[in-house]
Amino acid sequence: MSFLTRWDDDTSRPTFGSALRDAAVRAVLPGVGVFAVIVAIGLVIMGPLRGFEGENAVSRWFQDRRTPVGESITNVMSMIGNTEYVIAVAVLVALVVLWRTRQWWFAVVPLLAISLQATIFVIATAVVGRPRPTVERLDPTPPTSSYPSGHVGASTALYVSFVLMATRIPNLAVRRAVIAVCVLVPLAVSFARLYRGAHHVTDIVVGLANGIVCAALAWGYLRRDTGTSADGSRDRQAQSRA
């Protein structure tokens, strides 16, 4: 079964209990490993690398090139990664997908992606505790530390999950347009957070990685089986494995 076509190869309806169990085993449990890797990298930055202070030069480079127009544009770009915006968009899209497909187990993919990312991000920032770049920040920053970037991680988890969902759009032109926009959004948020002095480069890179992995885990959270009957229901053997 292809990773991208898994939701089309098996459209059978799982029980809520089996879906919850699959999410715990196939998304949350691997997420613990992702968290461990992110924290380990952060502790290396704050320990042997002594905060990787050379990255402040990149932040100062962006600061020296700020303009009123750039500040206005990046303000909008940065807001796309705000928690309330990400949650609102995720819920809205999940409801639309539920309405169009009647598949709640598929509609929850973006919600699972951002929830997993947020959990990893919040705990990792508390453990690592990296200071923000030594430049003027254009945004009021949350009390969490700089590493990893929550704005970037959240927008990446959300929009990469949209990219994966968009692969099911039948119309080729619409599918390509949606995918292109969804790829550009987290990159725009990443640039804005650097430009506005909120994060170091490594904060951004690890935030991107966190979001991508969480989206992939959410996409593959539910066990799927190619042995389905014509009406889309699983055979008895597949049901026994669910």
Side-chain angles (χ1 to χ4, degrees), residues 18-97:
S18 66
L20 194 62
R21 185 167 57 249
D22 285 351
V25 174
R26 296 167 61 88
V28 176
L29 190 59
V32 174
V34 176
F35 164 76
V37 172
I38 288 176
V39 169
I41 294 172
L43 293 178
V44 168
I45 291 173
M46 294 303 296
L49 296 181
R50 298 181 180 179
F52 217 176
E53 294 182 358
E55 285 191 298
N56 284 314
V58 178
S59 298
R60 287 191 291 271
W61 186 90
F62 277 101
Q63 178 180 248
D64 293 342
R65 285 157 181 79
R66 290 173 183 168
T67 64
V69 173
E71 291 179 13
S72 298
I73 293 174
T74 56
N75 181 48
V76 176
M77 293 161 62
S78 179
M79 288 173 59
I80 295 174
N82 287 352
T83 300
E84 53 274 21
Y85 178 90
V86 168
I87 293 174
V89 172
V91 170
L92 178 61
V93 171
L95 290 174
V96 171
V97 171

Side-chain angles (χ1 to χ4, degrees), residues 55 58-63 66 74 78 133 135-136 138-139 149 152 187-205:
E55 285 191 298
V58 178
S59 298
R60 287 191 291 271
W61 186 90
F62 277 101
Q63 178 180 248
R66 290 173 183 168
T74 56
S78 179
V135 296
E136 178 189 2
L138 300 180
D139 296 318
S149 172
V152 172
L187 296 178
V189 174
S190 298
F191 175 81
R193 300 304 283 170
L194 281 173
Y195 185 95
R196 301 179 70 80
H199 293 286
H200 306 278
V201 174
T202 47
D203 305 334
I204 299 295
V205 171

Side-chain angles (χ1 to χ4, degrees), residues 28 86-87 90-91 108-123 153-154 157-158 210 214-215 218:
V28 176
V86 168
I87 293 174
V91 170
V108 299
V109 166
L111 299 177
L112 179 58
I114 65 172
S115 298
L116 190 59
Q117 183 282 144
T119 302
I120 293 172
F121 150 71
V122 169
I123 303 176
L158 180 64
N210 185 24
C214 288

